[in-house]
């Protein structure tokens, strides 16, 4: 599979996948969910990357962090994820949820303040 998936983002299915990832407790389930979550991330990354031109400051930092972490998951060696599959699926679910949130609500980063209160 390439770094992107040509199928459109299916928000409801992606949400079901990451919610199942948060509840995952078995190796067999983790194996199945891993493939779904990786596919979801491959579809979401280019969509979230497309937001870059309209984002500045802290919003851009957040966007870059989420994309970087998603790419780290995609580049993970199979042995690494298989050493703790349930924990890795939880991490994949967290990253997928962050990508989906940015995809659904791009204003979260495009309207992010450059100097948040309290910083």
């Amino acid at each position: 599979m390439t770094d992107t998936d040509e199928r459109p983002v299916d928000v409801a299915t992606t949400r079901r996948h990451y919610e199942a990832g948060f509840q995952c407790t078995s190796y067999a389930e983790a194996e199945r969910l891993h493939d779904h979550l990786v596919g979801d991330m491959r579809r979401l990354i280019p969509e979230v990357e497309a937001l870059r031109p309209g984002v500045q400051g802290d919003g851009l930092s957040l966007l870059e962090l989420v994309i970087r972490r998603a790419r780290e998951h995609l580049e993970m060696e199979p042995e690494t994820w298989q050493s703790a599959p349930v924990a890795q699926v939880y991490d994949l679910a967290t990253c997928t949820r962050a990508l989906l949130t940015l995809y659904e609500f791009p204003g979260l980063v495009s309207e992010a303040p450059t100097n948040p209160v309290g910083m």
Side-chain angles (χ1 to χ4, degrees), residues 5-28:
D5 189 325
E6 297 301 320
R7 293 176 291 168
V9 173
D10 180 339
V11 172
T13 299
T14 300
R15 190 170 285 118
R16 277 194 306 275
H17 290 160
Y18 75 65
E19 287 173 353
F22 292 141
Q23 303 298 318
C24 180
T25 58
S26 73
Y27 182 86

Side-chain angles (χ1 to χ4, degrees), residues 51-64:
L51 300 173
R52 275 187 180 129
V55 181
Q56 302 176 37
D58 292 333
L60 184 58
S61 296
L62 174 63
L63 186 113
E64 295 291 340

Side-chain angles (χ1 to χ4, degrees):
M1 189 180 267
T2 62
D3 201 32
T4 61
D5 189 325
E6 297 301 320
R7 293 176 291 168
V9 173
D10 180 339
V11 172
T13 299
T14 300
R15 190 170 285 118
R16 277 194 306 275
H17 290 160
Y18 75 65
E19 287 173 353
F22 292 141
Q23 303 298 318
C24 180
T25 58
S26 73
Y27 182 86
E29 184 180 16
E31 228 174 29
R32 180 183 63 80
L33 287 170
H34 174 271
D35 293 342
H36 288 303
L37 291 165
V38 165
D40 295 333
M41 287 195 325
R42 288 182 194 274
R43 283 184 288 283
L44 283 162
I45 288 171
E47 298 291 336
V48 173
E49 284 178 326
L51 300 173
R52 275 187 180 129
V55 181
Q56 302 176 37
D58 292 333
L60 184 58
S61 296
L62 174 63
L63 186 113
E64 295 291 340
L65 175 68
V66 171
I67 291 169
R68 184 174 58 249
R69 186 65 180 129
R71 290 198 178 283
E72 287 171 2
H73 278 294
L74 295 180
E75 295 167 1
M76 188 176 293
E77 296 295 328
E79 303 80 36
T80 303
W81 101 262
Q82 290 172 344
S83 67
V86 173
Q88 292 296 335
V89 163
Y90 189 92
D91 287 349
L92 282 171
T94 302
C95 195
T96 302
R97 182 180 181 181
L99 286 167
L100 186 63
T101 300
L102 292 172
Y103 172 76
E104 286 188 292
F105 306 102
L108 292 174
V109 289
S110 63
E111 299 169 9
T114 55
N115 287 321
V117 176
M119 297 295 286

